[in-house]
Amino acid sequence: MLSIILAAGKGTRMKSNIPKVLHKVNGKFMLQKVLENTSLFGENLLVLGHKKEEIISLFPNNNYIFQEKQLGTGHAILISKDEIKKHDDILICYGDGPLLSKDTISNMLTEYKKNNLDSIMLSCIVDDPTGYGRVIKKNDIVIDIIEEKEANNTEKLINEVNVGVYLVKSKPLLSIIDKLDNNNSKGEYYLTDIVKLLHNAGFVTKSILLKDKNEMIGVNSKIDLEFASNILREKKLLKLMENGVIIIDKNTTFIEDDVVIGKDTIIYPNTIIQGKTTIGENCIIYSSRIDNSVISNNVKIDNSVIEFSNIETKVTIGPYAHLRKGTILNENVHIGNFVEIKNSTLHKNVKSGHLTYIGDSEIGSNTNIGAGTITCNYDGKNKHKTTIGNDCFIGSNTIFVSPITIGENVLTAAGSVITKNVDDNMLAFGRAKQKIINKKIESE
Ligand code: UD1
Ligand code: CA
């Protein structure tokens, strides 16, 4: 089967510089949501036009056809004729329908095969059909779809609408495809006209009703985008709770589709978990943002931001820590308030409780980093590494001018600027000696 996905439109109603199908719903491109499902049934053909390079760069492994001028959904199919010829069955859907599920496609396909239909379309009964194509039936057979702009007042009252998913045998489709025209009020080639053309040529189109109405939304505006995104968000949260995750307030929790969370982990309000993040069991997460990170079991994260990091078991983080790309925290590490870490590995039991920057560093087990410690990893041109051994005690306000290597069991005096390597078991003292001067004598 070939799935043709229409994604050439500019999406004028989105009022955006981003192509419509590259808007995200609960963290995923709309087009990605569609492709994840259609890919299960065979090959994809994307009809692209507006900003096609941008779309191809994000979805490089598909077949494409270029619709130079977006003359309508029917025109998008017309130009796909040569590809249609190569397949027996064609699924057509829109790139702006990200909520469609694989089960719905699967149900359609079963019905289509079982009854050996020429064509089947997905419809839905809605309270407010405004904006959607109205489904015209005669004895259970679909004979036409009338677009909003073309509908008369009686037709406008019909509340069975076209969702925009069609399955059709390629031979009947090819036999009528050239009859599509743009004689309508929008001057566009309407794909929906294929139903009427098929009927006139003696082919039968049936409809199947969508079970979950939420799936039908076609995203045309930013208002639709918020609506669709929230449906997916809620679905994801319910699934996580079913699997044993504790979510304190689902209205203020944002967890994207691909996130995995273990049981009895507690997610407090105002938490955002993004990308391919995995979180283990029995963690506690207070109002944080976690992006593309792997978090083990029994981790506590408080009001912090964690990006592209790896956190082992029993680590505590925050409040107000920022772990940037490439942070690896091993078992039992403690990171306290206002600590920023980037591209660094902290081994077991390291503690960095307050006001610290650790960049491009490796810190050995059991080392204690005093308040205000800074690794000066950047000389204005290049980044350099700081290595600190096991069991060190780094005094408050130590500055490490990297590249630099500190041995094991080293103590640095508070307020030191450390510019030279330090061997094992040494005390490094790098600050001006304190002088005490009698104020009176001085001023005389
Ligand atoms: C379409 C249907 C309508 C249905 C609704 C469901 C038509 C004529 N109407 O209306 O019956 O109820 O979807 O959401 O099909 N596109 C192209 N090339 C074009 C024009 C559009 O690739 O020349 C793409 C768009 O990028 C979009 C999709 O086709 O992804 C649908 O187009 P859109 O303009 O949003 O159609 P609707 O007016 O929503
Ligand atoms: Ca649409």
Side-chain angles (χ1 to χ4, degrees), residues 120-137:
I120 189 166
M121 57 152 307
L122 190 61
S123 71
C124 187
I125 306 222
V126 292
D127 296 334
D128 178 12
T130 313
Y132 290 99
R134 312 299 203 279
V135 179
I136 313 289
K137 281 180 170 172

Side-chain angles (χ1 to χ4, degrees), residues 8 25 27 39 48 60 89 125 199 201 225 237 309 318 328 339 386 400 433:
V25 280
S39 301
L48 300 180
D89 304 296
I125 306 222
H199 176 68
L225 188 71
L237 295 176
S309 295
I328 299 171
V339 173
T386 300
F400 291 104
K433 272 203 174 150

Side-chain angles (χ1 to χ4, degrees), residues 5-11 13 20-21 47-48 67 69-76 93-97 131-134 145-147 161-164 166 186 188-193 216-220:
I5 296 125
L6 274 53
K10 196 170 168 194
R13 291 166 280 181
K20 173 149 84 172
V21 295
V47 182
L48 300 180
Q67 189 190 20
K69 283 198 182 123
Q70 286 86 57
L71 303 177
T73 50
H75 179 254
C93 59
Y94 301 150
D96 66 355
Y132 290 99
R134 312 299 203 279
I145 298 171
I146 314 268
E147 289 302 289
V161 300
N162 173 28
V163 176
Y166 322 79
K186 273 178 134 182
E188 275 185 14
Y189 291 84
Y190 290 155
L191 170 60
T192 42
D193 284 347
M216 81 157 284
I217 187 167
V219 175
N220 296 322

Side-chain angles (χ1 to χ4, degrees), residues 40 78 91 124 157 168 201 259 321 398 418:
L40 301 171
L78 256 174
L91 174 77
C124 187
L157 295 175
V168 54
V259 172
T398 298
I418 305 292

